[in-house]
Amino acid sequence: MTHELIFATNNLHKLSEIQSIVGKNFTIKSLQEIGCTEDIPETAPTLEGNALLKAQYIYDRFGKNCFADDTGLEVEALDGRPGVFSARYATDGHDFEANIDKVLEELTGVENRKARFRTVIALILDGSVRYFEGIVNGEIISERKGIKGFGYDPVFLPDGYEQTFAEMPLDEKNKISHRARAVSKLVEFLNLKI
Ligand code: ITT
């Protein structure tokens, strides 16, 4: 028997990535597949809050087991900013270039460049909520390097590596990333349930 889970995202790339990791015991369905075309609010002040808002929205309306994720870049010297505001740090939209410029400007002359990406997944399974967290530590370099990936990847150098996330082959980033770590914890949990 295969168990159905809704992934509350419109990002089809994230969806196929996770389907390939969970294997055949679970079928992951997108919002589109369950006919949800609404814009789900992401208005909470934390990653945990936003992930839960999205999952709860689907659970309340469709009554189906589901999960949602939220990710932020947390810079130590900026007290954890941009954090939950990572997508809309410099502008209202997803302007990756402006967001990077803003972080670099705020870090001008700052010695402590430590940062981390943090992903939180909220799962609602049979009415119970569980969170899974994935973190990758690194630093913010002072100039962009590389053109792969997205978001803050060109200025993020993960600890122990000599290439930024934007220089690394995508499959290598996907093995060590915050999202991969959170997803593998989710999958480990789901596999214990079957
Ligand atoms: P959905 O809510 O539709 O899934 P989103 O763009 O809001 O998409 P996330 O919550 O995963 O995506 O991430 C929020 C922001 O954090 C994203 O817009 C990027 O600026 C940044 N970000 C997330 N993951 C990243 C990664 O792997 N590399 C670089 N930046 C990332």
Side-chain angles (χ1 to χ4, degrees), residues 2-27:
T2 160
H3 304 258
E4 188 180 290
L5 273 175
I6 314 303
F7 185 7
T9 182
N10 285 311
N11 184 328
L12 293 181
H13 175 76
K14 282 187 191 173
L15 200 86
S16 60
E17 186 180 296
I18 201 163
Q19 182 66 69
S20 72
I21 308 175
V22 293
K24 288 199 191 106
N25 290 324
F26 292 90
T27 304

mmCIF file with all atom_site columns, all heavy atoms in Angstrom, residues 2-27:
data_model
loop_
_atom_site.group_PDB
_atom_site.id
_atom_site.type_symbol
_atom_site.label_atom_id
_atom_site.label_alt_id
_atom_site.label_comp_id
_atom_site.label_asym_id
_atom_site.label_entity_id
_atom_site.label_seq_id
_atom_site.pdbx_PDB_ins_code
_atom_site.Cartn_x
_atom_site.Cartn_y
_atom_site.Cartn_z
_atom_site.occupancy
_atom_site.B_iso_or_equiv
_atom_site.pdbx_formal_charge
_atom_site.auth_seq_id
_atom_site.auth_comp_id
_atom_site.auth_asym_id
_atom_site.auth_atom_id
_atom_site.pdbx_PDB_model_num
ATOM 1   N N   . THR A 1 2  ? 0.472  2.216  -0.788  1.00 0.00 ? 2  THR A N   1
ATOM 2   C CA  . THR A 1 2  ? 1.250  3.451  -0.779  1.00 0.00 ? 2  THR A CA  1
ATOM 3   C C   . THR A 1 2  ? 0.488  4.566  -0.046  1.00 0.00 ? 2  THR A C   1
ATOM 4   O O   . THR A 1 2  ? -0.721 4.680  -0.168  1.00 0.00 ? 2  THR A O   1
ATOM 5   C CB  . THR A 1 2  ? 1.658  3.872  -2.220  1.00 0.00 ? 2  THR A CB  1
ATOM 6   O OG1 . THR A 1 2  ? 1.991  5.238  -2.215  1.00 0.00 ? 2  THR A OG1 1
ATOM 7   C CG2 . THR A 1 2  ? 0.597  3.607  -3.221  1.00 0.00 ? 2  THR A CG2 1
ATOM 8   N N   . HIS A 1 3  ? 1.202  5.320  0.743   1.00 0.00 ? 3  HIS A N   1
ATOM 9   C CA  . HIS A 1 3  ? 0.594  6.368  1.545   1.00 0.00 ? 3  HIS A CA  1
ATOM 10  C C   . HIS A 1 3  ? 0.715  7.696  0.806   1.00 0.00 ? 3  HIS A C   1
ATOM 11  O O   . HIS A 1 3  ? 1.767  8.009  0.272   1.00 0.00 ? 3  HIS A O   1
ATOM 12  C CB  . HIS A 1 3  ? 1.310  6.492  2.892   1.00 0.00 ? 3  HIS A CB  1
ATOM 13  C CG  . HIS A 1 3  ? 1.333  5.216  3.649   1.00 0.00 ? 3  HIS A CG  1
ATOM 14  N ND1 . HIS A 1 3  ? 0.498  4.960  4.705   1.00 0.00 ? 3  HIS A ND1 1
ATOM 15  C CD2 . HIS A 1 3  ? 2.081  4.104  3.496   1.00 0.00 ? 3  HIS A CD2 1
ATOM 16  C CE1 . HIS A 1 3  ? 0.743  3.733  5.159   1.00 0.00 ? 3  HIS A CE1 1
ATOM 17  N NE2 . HIS A 1 3  ? 1.697  3.205  4.448   1.00 0.00 ? 3  HIS A NE2 1
ATOM 18  N N   . GLU A 1 4  ? -0.391 8.446  0.854   1.00 0.00 ? 4  GLU A N   1
ATOM 19  C CA  . GLU A 1 4  ? -0.385 9.717  0.124   1.00 0.00 ? 4  GLU A CA  1
ATOM 20  C C   . GLU A 1 4  ? -0.072 10.872 1.068   1.00 0.00 ? 4  GLU A C   1
ATOM 21  O O   . GLU A 1 4  ? -0.585 10.934 2.176   1.00 0.00 ? 4  GLU A O   1
ATOM 22  C CB  . GLU A 1 4  ? -1.772 9.904  -0.484  1.00 0.00 ? 4  GLU A CB  1
ATOM 23  C CG  . GLU A 1 4  ? -1.861 11.074 -1.418  1.00 0.00 ? 4  GLU A CG  1
ATOM 24  C CD  . GLU A 1 4  ? -3.270 11.194 -1.982  1.00 0.00 ? 4  GLU A CD  1
ATOM 25  O OE1 . GLU A 1 4  ? -3.669 10.332 -2.790  1.00 0.00 ? 4  GLU A OE1 1
ATOM 26  O OE2 . GLU A 1 4  ? -3.969 12.150 -1.595  1.00 0.00 ? 4  GLU A OE2 1
ATOM 27  N N   . LEU A 1 5  ? 0.797  11.742 0.606   1.00 0.00 ? 5  LEU A N   1
ATOM 28  C CA  . LEU A 1 5  ? 1.157  12.934 1.386   1.00 0.00 ? 5  LEU A CA  1
ATOM 29  C C   . LEU A 1 5  ? 1.145  14.140 0.459   1.00 0.00 ? 5  LEU A C   1
ATOM 30  O O   . LEU A 1 5  ? 1.685  14.067 -0.647  1.00 0.00 ? 5  LEU A O   1
ATOM 31  C CB  . LEU A 1 5  ? 2.581  12.803 1.916   1.00 0.00 ? 5  LEU A CB  1
ATOM 32  C CG  . LEU A 1 5  ? 2.860  12.115 3.238   1.00 0.00 ? 5  LEU A CG  1
ATOM 33  C CD1 . LEU A 1 5  ? 4.364  12.027 3.429   1.00 0.00 ? 5  LEU A CD1 1
ATOM 34  C CD2 . LEU A 1 5  ? 2.238  12.901 4.388   1.00 0.00 ? 5  LEU A CD2 1
ATOM 35  N N   . ILE A 1 6  ? 0.569  15.221 0.932   1.00 0.00 ? 6  ILE A N   1
ATOM 36  C CA  . ILE A 1 6  ? 0.588  16.449 0.124   1.00 0.00 ? 6  ILE A CA  1
ATOM 37  C C   . ILE A 1 6  ? 1.805  17.277 0.529   1.00 0.00 ? 6  ILE A C   1
ATOM 38  O O   . ILE A 1 6  ? 2.065  17.465 1.722   1.00 0.00 ? 6  ILE A O   1
ATOM 39  C CB  . ILE A 1 6  ? -0.669 17.320 0.388   1.00 0.00 ? 6  ILE A CB  1
ATOM 40  C CG1 . ILE A 1 6  ? -1.949 16.483 0.381   1.00 0.00 ? 6  ILE A CG1 1
ATOM 41  C CG2 . ILE A 1 6  ? -0.744 18.477 -0.612  1.00 0.00 ? 6  ILE A CG2 1
ATOM 42  C CD1 . ILE A 1 6  ? -2.220 15.712 -0.845  1.00 0.00 ? 6  ILE A CD1 1
ATOM 43  N N   . PHE A 1 7  ? 2.533  17.787 -0.443  1.00 0.00 ? 7  PHE A N   1
ATOM 44  C CA  . PHE A 1 7  ? 3.640  18.701 -0.168  1.00 0.00 ? 7  PHE A CA  1
ATOM 45  C C   . PHE A 1 7  ? 3.142  20.101 -0.549  1.00 0.00 ? 7  PHE A C   1
ATOM 46  O O   . PHE A 1 7  ? 2.896  20.375 -1.721  1.00 0.00 ? 7  PHE A O   1
ATOM 47  C CB  . PHE A 1 7  ? 4.869  18.301 -0.994  1.00 0.00 ? 7  PHE A CB  1
ATOM 48  C CG  . PHE A 1 7  ? 6.119  19.110 -0.702  1.00 0.00 ? 7  PHE A CG  1
ATOM 49  C CD1 . PHE A 1 7  ? 6.175  20.028 0.344   1.00 0.00 ? 7  PHE A CD1 1
ATOM 50  C CD2 . PHE A 1 7  ? 7.246  18.941 -1.471  1.00 0.00 ? 7  PHE A CD2 1
ATOM 51  C CE1 . PHE A 1 7  ? 7.329  20.754 0.612   1.00 0.00 ? 7  PHE A CE1 1
ATOM 52  C CE2 . PHE A 1 7  ? 8.407  19.664 -1.220  1.00 0.00 ? 7  PHE A CE2 1
ATOM 53  C CZ  . PHE A 1 7  ? 8.450  20.571 -0.182  1.00 0.00 ? 7  PHE A CZ  1
ATOM 54  N N   . ALA A 1 8  ? 2.958  20.945 0.457   1.00 0.00 ? 8  ALA A N   1
ATOM 55  C CA  . ALA A 1 8  ? 2.393  22.283 0.219   1.00 0.00 ? 8  ALA A CA  1
ATOM 56  C C   . ALA A 1 8  ? 3.446  23.219 -0.381  1.00 0.00 ? 8  ALA A C   1
ATOM 57  O O   . ALA A 1 8  ? 3.982  24.094 0.280   1.00 0.00 ? 8  ALA A O   1
ATOM 58  C CB  . ALA A 1 8  ? 1.838  22.859 1.519   1.00 0.00 ? 8  ALA A CB  1
ATOM 59  N N   . THR A 1 9  ? 3.744  22.996 -1.660  1.00 0.00 ? 9  THR A N   1
ATOM 60  C CA  . THR A 1 9  ? 4.664  23.880 -2.369  1.00 0.00 ? 9  THR A CA  1
ATOM 61  C C   . THR A 1 9  ? 4.213  23.985 -3.823  1.00 0.00 ? 9  THR A C   1
ATOM 62  O O   . THR A 1 9  ? 3.522  23.098 -4.328  1.00 0.00 ? 9  THR A O   1
ATOM 63  C CB  . THR A 1 9  ? 6.113  23.344 -2.346  1.00 0.00 ? 9  THR A CB  1
ATOM 64  O OG1 . THR A 1 9  ? 6.973  24.283 -3.007  1.00 0.00 ? 9  THR A OG1 1
ATOM 65  C CG2 . THR A 1 9  ? 6.239  22.009 -3.041  1.00 0.00 ? 9  THR A CG2 1
ATOM 66  N N   . ASN A 1 10 ? 4.612  25.061 -4.469  1.00 0.00 ? 10 ASN A N   1
ATOM 67  C CA  . ASN A 1 10 ? 4.365  25.177 -5.903  1.00 0.00 ? 10 ASN A CA  1
ATOM 68  C C   . ASN A 1 10 ? 5.648  24.952 -6.685  1.00 0.00 ? 10 ASN A C   1
ATOM 69  O O   . ASN A 1 10 ? 5.679  25.087 -7.899  1.00 0.00 ? 10 ASN A O   1
ATOM 70  C CB  . ASN A 1 10 ? 3.771  26.552 -6.233  1.00 0.00 ? 10 ASN A CB  1
ATOM 71  C CG  . ASN A 1 10 ? 2.321  26.612 -5.810  1.00 0.00 ? 10 ASN A CG  1
ATOM 72  O OD1 . ASN A 1 10 ? 1.536  25.718 -6.128  1.00 0.00 ? 10 ASN A OD1 1
ATOM 73  N ND2 . ASN A 1 10 ? 1.964  27.648 -5.057  1.00 0.00 ? 10 ASN A ND2 1
ATOM 74  N N   . ASN A 1 11 ? 6.698  24.625 -5.956  1.00 0.00 ? 11 ASN A N   1
ATOM 75  C CA  . ASN A 1 11 ? 7.996  24.431 -6.572  1.00 0.00 ? 11 ASN A CA  1
ATOM 76  C C   . ASN A 1 11 ? 8.121  22.959 -7.008  1.00 0.00 ? 11 ASN A C   1
ATOM 77  O O   . ASN A 1 11 ? 8.347  22.070 -6.200  1.00 0.00 ? 11 ASN A O   1
ATOM 78  C CB  . ASN A 1 11 ? 9.063  24.808 -5.540  1.00 0.00 ? 11 ASN A CB  1
ATOM 79  C CG  . ASN A 1 11 ? 10.447 24.750 -6.099  1.00 0.00 ? 11 ASN A CG  1
ATOM 80  O OD1 . ASN A 1 11 ? 10.740 23.942 -6.963  1.00 0.00 ? 11 ASN A OD1 1
ATOM 81  N ND2 . ASN A 1 11 ? 11.308 25.624 -5.591  1.00 0.00 ? 11 ASN A ND2 1
ATOM 82  N N   . LEU A 1 12 ? 7.940  22.721 -8.319  1.00 0.00 ? 12 LEU A N   1
ATOM 83  C CA  . LEU A 1 12 ? 7.901  21.346 -8.821  1.00 0.00 ? 12 LEU A CA  1
ATOM 84  C C   . LEU A 1 12 ? 9.260  20.663 -8.705  1.00 0.00 ? 12 LEU A C   1
ATOM 85  O O   . LEU A 1 12 ? 9.349  19.440 -8.596  1.00 0.00 ? 12 LEU A O   1
ATOM 86  C CB  . LEU A 1 12 ? 7.421  21.332 -10.286 1.00 0.00 ? 12 LEU A CB  1
ATOM 87  C CG  . LEU A 1 12 ? 5.968  21.766 -10.478 1.00 0.00 ? 12 LEU A CG  1
ATOM 88  C CD1 . LEU A 1 12 ? 5.567  21.704 -11.943 1.00 0.00 ? 12 LEU A CD1 1
ATOM 89  C CD2 . LEU A 1 12 ? 4.995  20.941 -9.629  1.00 0.00 ? 12 LEU A CD2 1
ATOM 90  N N   . HIS A 1 13 ? 10.300 21.459 -8.701  1.00 0.00 ? 13 HIS A N   1
ATOM 91  C CA  . HIS A 1 13 ? 11.644 20.897 -8.540  1.00 0.00 ? 13 HIS A CA  1
ATOM 92  C C   . HIS A 1 13 ? 11.787 20.255 -7.154  1.00 0.00 ? 13 HIS A C   1
ATOM 93  O O   . HIS A 1 13 ? 12.273 19.133 -7.022  1.00 0.00 ? 13 HIS A O   1
ATOM 94  C CB  . HIS A 1 13 ? 12.692 21.985 -8.760  1.00 0.00 ? 13 HIS A CB  1
ATOM 95  C CG  . HIS A 1 13 ? 14.071 21.506 -8.497  1.00 0.00 ? 13 HIS A CG  1
ATOM 96  N ND1 . HIS A 1 13 ? 14.743 20.698 -9.395  1.00 0.00 ? 13 HIS A ND1 1
ATOM 97  C CD2 . HIS A 1 13 ? 14.887 21.654 -7.442  1.00 0.00 ? 13 HIS A CD2 1
ATOM 98  C CE1 . HIS A 1 13 ? 15.910 20.395 -8.883  1.00 0.00 ? 13 HIS A CE1 1
ATOM 99  N NE2 . HIS A 1 13 ? 16.033 20.954 -7.696  1.00 0.00 ? 13 HIS A NE2 1
ATOM 100 N N   . LYS A 1 14 ? 11.322 20.990 -6.136  1.00 0.00 ? 14 LYS A N   1
ATOM 101 C CA  . LYS A 1 14 ? 11.368 20.456 -4.768  1.00 0.00 ? 14 LYS A CA  1
ATOM 102 C C   . LYS A 1 14 ? 10.561 19.165 -4.685  1.00 0.00 ? 14 LYS A C   1
ATOM 103 O O   . LYS A 1 14 ? 10.932 18.222 -4.004  1.00 0.00 ? 14 LYS A O   1
ATOM 104 C CB  . LYS A 1 14 ? 10.752 21.454 -3.778  1.00 0.00 ? 14 LYS A CB  1
ATOM 105 C CG  . LYS A 1 14 ? 11.637 22.622 -3.390  1.00 0.00 ? 14 LYS A CG  1
ATOM 106 C CD  . LYS A 1 14 ? 10.921 23.403 -2.272  1.00 0.00 ? 14 LYS A CD  1
ATOM 107 C CE  . LYS A 1 14 ? 11.548 24.729 -1.981  1.00 0.00 ? 14 LYS A CE  1
ATOM 108 N NZ  . LYS A 1 14 ? 10.747 25.526 -1.024  1.00 0.00 ? 14 LYS A NZ  1
ATOM 109 N N   . LEU A 1 15 ? 9.422  19.158 -5.393  1.00 0.00 ? 15 LEU A N   1
ATOM 110 C CA  . LEU A 1 15 ? 8.515  18.017 -5.342  1.00 0.00 ? 15 LEU A CA  1
ATOM 111 C C   . LEU A 1 15 ? 9.150  16.747 -5.917  1.00 0.00 ? 15 LEU A C   1
ATOM 112 O O   . LEU A 1 15 ? 9.119  15.686 -5.300  1.00 0.00 ? 15 LEU A O   1
ATOM 113 C CB  . LEU A 1 15 ? 7.255  18.379 -6.123  1.00 0.00 ? 15 LEU A CB  1
ATOM 114 C CG  . LEU A 1 15 ? 6.043  17.548 -5.816  1.00 0.00 ? 15 LEU A CG  1
ATOM 115 C CD1 . LEU A 1 15 ? 5.309  18.130 -4.623  1.00 0.00 ? 15 LEU A CD1 1
ATOM 116 C CD2 . LEU A 1 15 ? 5.120  17.500 -7.011  1.00 0.00 ? 15 LEU A CD2 1
ATOM 117 N N   . SER A 1 16 ? 9.778  16.867 -7.104  1.00 0.00 ? 16 SER A N   1
ATOM 118 C CA  . SER A 1 16 ? 10.342 15.665 -7.706  1.00 0.00 ? 16 SER A CA  1
ATOM 119 C C   . SER A 1 16 ? 11.581 15.209 -6.931  1.00 0.00 ? 16 SER A C   1
ATOM 120 O O   . SER A 1 16 ? 11.852 14.013 -6.814  1.00 0.00 ? 16 SER A O   1
ATOM 121 C CB  . SER A 1 16 ? 10.675 15.885 -9.185  1.00 0.00 ? 16 SER A CB  1
ATOM 122 O OG  . SER A 1 16 ? 11.606 16.915 -9.307  1.00 0.00 ? 16 SER A OG  1
ATOM 123 N N   . GLU A 1 17 ? 12.301 16.182 -6.368  1.00 0.00 ? 17 GLU A N   1
ATOM 124 C CA  . GLU A 1 17 ? 13.485 15.841 -5.566  1.00 0.00 ? 17 GLU A CA  1
ATOM 125 C C   . GLU A 1 17 ? 13.048 14.951 -4.381  1.00 0.00 ? 17 GLU A C   1
ATOM 126 O O   . GLU A 1 17 ? 13.630 13.909 -4.118  1.00 0.00 ? 17 GLU A O   1
ATOM 127 C CB  . GLU A 1 17 ? 14.107 17.143 -5.063  1.00 0.00 ? 17 GLU A CB  1
ATOM 128 C CG  . GLU A 1 17 ? 15.424 16.996 -4.345  1.00 0.00 ? 17 GLU A CG  1
ATOM 129 C CD  . GLU A 1 17 ? 15.943 18.368 -3.898  1.00 0.00 ? 17 GLU A CD  1
ATOM 130 O OE1 . GLU A 1 17 ? 16.226 19.204 -4.768  1.00 0.00 ? 17 GLU A OE1 1
ATOM 131 O OE2 . GLU A 1 17 ? 16.038 18.604 -2.686  1.00 0.00 ? 17 GLU A OE2 1
ATOM 132 N N   . ILE A 1 18 ? 12.000 15.370 -3.713  1.00 0.00 ? 18 ILE A N   1
ATOM 133 C CA  . ILE A 1 18 ? 11.573 14.631 -2.523  1.00 0.00 ? 18 ILE A CA  1
ATOM 134 C C   . ILE A 1 18 ? 10.931 13.291 -2.890  1.00 0.00 ? 18 ILE A C   1
ATOM 135 O O   . ILE A 1 18 ? 11.155 12.291 -2.215  1.00 0.00 ? 18 ILE A O   1
ATOM 136 C CB  . ILE A 1 18 ? 10.657 15.492 -1.633  1.00 0.00 ? 18 ILE A CB  1
ATOM 137 C CG1 . ILE A 1 18 ? 10.660 14.929 -0.222  1.00 0.00 ? 18 ILE A CG1 1
ATOM 138 C CG2 . ILE A 1 18 ? 9.280  15.608 -2.134  1.00 0.00 ? 18 ILE A CG2 1
ATOM 139 C CD1 . ILE A 1 18 ? 10.145 15.889 0.788   1.00 0.00 ? 18 ILE A CD1 1
ATOM 140 N N   . GLN A 1 19 ? 10.209 13.251 -4.000  1.00 0.00 ? 19 GLN A N   1
ATOM 141 C CA  . GLN A 1 19 ? 9.604  11.964 -4.417  1.00 0.00 ? 19 GLN A CA  1
ATOM 142 C C   . GLN A 1 19 ? 10.689 10.924 -4.670  1.00 0.00 ? 19 GLN A C   1
ATOM 143 O O   . GLN A 1 19 ? 10.557 9.756  -4.304  1.00 0.00 ? 19 GLN A O   1
ATOM 144 C CB  . GLN A 1 19 ? 8.748  12.161 -5.676  1.00 0.00 ? 19 GLN A CB  1
ATOM 145 C CG  . GLN A 1 19 ? 8.039  10.890 -6.151  1.00 0.00 ? 19 GLN A CG  1
ATOM 146 C CD  . GLN A 1 19 ? 6.970  10.372 -5.183  1.00 0.00 ? 19 GLN A CD  1
ATOM 147 O OE1 . GLN A 1 19 ? 5.934  10.981 -4.994  1.00 0.00 ? 19 GLN A OE1 1
ATOM 148 N NE2 . GLN A 1 19 ? 7.216  9.223  -4.547  1.00 0.00 ? 19 GLN A NE2 1
ATOM 149 N N   . SER A 1 20 ? 11.806 11.373 -5.251  1.00 0.00 ? 20 SER A N   1
ATOM 150 C CA  . SER A 1 20 ? 12.873 10.414 -5.535  1.00 0.00 ? 20 SER A CA  1
ATOM 151 C C   . SER A 1 20 ? 13.530 9.916  -4.248  1.00 0.00 ? 20 SER A C   1
ATOM 152 O O   . SER A 1 20 ? 14.050 8.815  -4.195  1.00 0.00 ? 20 SER A O   1
ATOM 153 C CB  . SER A 1 20 ? 13.911 11.018 -6.482  1.00 0.00 ? 20 SER A CB  1
ATOM 154 O OG  . SER A 1 20 ? 14.675 11.983 -5.803  1.00 0.00 ? 20 SER A OG  1
ATOM 155 N N   . ILE A 1 21 ? 13.501 10.699 -3.188  1.00 0.00 ? 21 ILE A N   1
ATOM 156 C CA  . ILE A 1 21 ? 14.106 10.256 -1.930  1.00 0.00 ? 21 ILE A CA  1
ATOM 157 C C   . ILE A 1 21 ? 13.160 9.358  -1.127  1.00 0.00 ? 21 ILE A C   1
ATOM 158 O O   . ILE A 1 21 ? 13.603 8.408  -0.491  1.00 0.00 ? 21 ILE A O   1
ATOM 159 C CB  . ILE A 1 21 ? 14.544 11.453 -1.039  1.00 0.00 ? 21 ILE A CB  1
ATOM 160 C CG1 . ILE A 1 21 ? 15.419 12.425 -1.835  1.00 0.00 ? 21 ILE A CG1 1
ATOM 161 C CG2 . ILE A 1 21 ? 15.315 10.970 0.174   1.00 0.00 ? 21 ILE A CG2 1
ATOM 162 C CD1 . ILE A 1 21 ? 15.775 13.687 -1.061  1.00 0.00 ? 21 ILE A CD1 1
ATOM 163 N N   . VAL A 1 22 ? 11.871 9.653  -1.136  1.00 0.00 ? 22 VAL A N   1
ATOM 164 C CA  . VAL A 1 22 ? 10.971 8.862  -0.278  1.00 0.00 ? 22 VAL A CA  1
ATOM 165 C C   . VAL A 1 22 ? 10.683 7.452  -0.813  1.00 0.00 ? 22 VAL A C   1
ATOM 166 O O   . VAL A 1 22 ? 10.295 6.575  -0.052  1.00 0.00 ? 22 VAL A O   1
ATOM 167 C CB  . VAL A 1 22 ? 9.607  9.548  0.021   1.00 0.00 ? 22 VAL A CB  1
ATOM 168 C CG1 . VAL A 1 22 ? 9.778  10.756 0.870   1.00 0.00 ? 22 VAL A CG1 1
ATOM 169 C CG2 . VAL A 1 22 ? 8.845  9.845  -1.226  1.00 0.00 ? 22 VAL A CG2 1
ATOM 170 N N   . GLY A 1 23 ? 10.901 7.254  -2.119  1.00 0.00 ? 23 GLY A N   1
ATOM 171 C CA  . GLY A 1 23 ? 10.685 5.916  -2.674  1.00 0.00 ? 23 GLY A CA  1
ATOM 172 C C   . GLY A 1 23 ? 9.210  5.601  -2.889  1.00 0.00 ? 23 GLY A C   1
ATOM 173 O O   . GLY A 1 23 ? 8.364  6.496  -2.865  1.00 0.00 ? 23 GLY A O   1
ATOM 174 N N   . LYS A 1 24 ? 8.926  4.304  -3.053  1.00 0.00 ? 24 LYS A N   1
ATOM 175 C CA  . LYS A 1 24 ? 7.583  3.908  -3.521  1.00 0.00 ? 24 LYS A CA  1
ATOM 176 C C   . LYS A 1 24 ? 6.525  3.823  -2.433  1.00 0.00 ? 24 LYS A C   1
ATOM 177 O O   . LYS A 1 24 ? 5.341  3.756  -2.719  1.00 0.00 ? 24 LYS A O   1
ATOM 178 C CB  . LYS A 1 24 ? 7.678  2.550  -4.213  1.00 0.00 ? 24 LYS A CB  1
ATOM 179 C CG  . LYS A 1 24 ? 8.372  2.627  -5.565  1.00 0.00 ? 24 LYS A CG  1
ATOM 180 C CD  . LYS A 1 24 ? 8.036  1.395  -6.395  1.00 0.00 ? 24 LYS A CD  1
ATOM 181 C CE  . LYS A 1 24 ? 8.926  1.322  -7.634  1.00 0.00 ? 24 LYS A CE  1
ATOM 182 N NZ  . LYS A 1 24 ? 9.966  0.291  -7.531  1.00 0.00 ? 24 LYS A NZ  1
ATOM 183 N N   . ASN A 1 25 ? 6.937  3.794  -1.176  1.00 0.00 ? 25 ASN A N   1
ATOM 184 C CA  . ASN A 1 25 ? 5.944  3.622  -0.117  1.00 0.00 ? 25 ASN A CA  1
ATOM 185 C C   . ASN A 1 25 ? 5.068  4.841  0.089   1.00 0.00 ? 25 ASN A C   1
ATOM 186 O O   . ASN A 1 25 ? 4.010  4.773  0.688   1.00 0.00 ? 25 ASN A O   1
ATOM 187 C CB  . ASN A 1 25 ? 6.625  3.263  1.194   1.00 0.00 ? 25 ASN A CB  1
ATOM 188 C CG  . ASN A 1 25 ? 7.209  1.866  1.136   1.00 0.00 ? 25 ASN A CG  1
ATOM 189 O OD1 . ASN A 1 25 ? 6.616  0.994  0.520   1.00 0.00 ? 25 ASN A OD1 1
ATOM 190 N ND2 . ASN A 1 25 ? 8.359  1.682  1.735   1.00 0.00 ? 25 ASN A ND2 1
ATOM 191 N N   . PHE A 1 26 ? 5.554  5.988  -0.386  1.00 0.00 ? 26 PHE A N   1
ATOM 192 C CA  . PHE A 1 26 ? 4.779  7.220  -0.257  1.00 0.00 ? 26 PHE A CA  1
ATOM 193 C C   . PHE A 1 26 ? 4.617  7.892  -1.616  1.00 0.00 ? 26 PHE A C   1
ATOM 194 O O   . PHE A 1 26 ? 5.559  7.953  -2.396  1.00 0.00 ? 26 PHE A O   1
ATOM 195 C CB  . PHE A 1 26 ? 5.491  8.206  0.685   1.00 0.00 ? 26 PHE A CB  1
ATOM 196 C CG  . PHE A 1 26 ? 5.512  7.730  2.103   1.00 0.00 ? 26 PHE A CG  1
ATOM 197 C CD1 . PHE A 1 26 ? 6.555  6.942  2.566   1.00 0.00 ? 26 PHE A CD1 1
ATOM 198 C CD2 . PHE A 1 26 ? 4.465  8.019  2.964   1.00 0.00 ? 26 PHE A CD2 1
ATOM 199 C CE1 . PHE A 1 26 ? 6.569  6.468  3.862   1.00 0.00 ? 26 PHE A CE1 1
ATOM 200 C CE2 . PHE A 1 26 ? 4.467  7.542  4.264   1.00 0.00 ? 26 PHE A CE2 1
ATOM 201 C CZ  . PHE A 1 26 ? 5.519  6.771  4.717   1.00 0.00 ? 26 PHE A CZ  1
ATOM 202 N N   . THR A 1 27 ? 3.416  8.391  -1.868  1.00 0.00 ? 27 THR A N   1
ATOM 203 C CA  . THR A 1 27 ? 3.193  9.178  -3.072  1.00 0.00 ? 27 THR A CA  1
ATOM 204 C C   . THR A 1 27 ? 3.050  10.623 -2.648  1.00 0.00 ? 27 THR A C   1
ATOM 205 O O   . THR A 1 27 ? 2.187  10.957 -1.831  1.00 0.00 ? 27 THR A O   1
ATOM 206 C CB  . THR A 1 27 ? 1.885  8.726  -3.777  1.00 0.00 ? 27 THR A CB  1
ATOM 207 O OG1 . THR A 1 27 ? 2.003  7.352  -4.030  1.00 0.00 ? 27 THR A OG1 1
ATOM 208 C CG2 . THR A 1 27 ? 1.678  9.484  -5.072  1.00 0.00 ? 27 THR A CG2 1
#
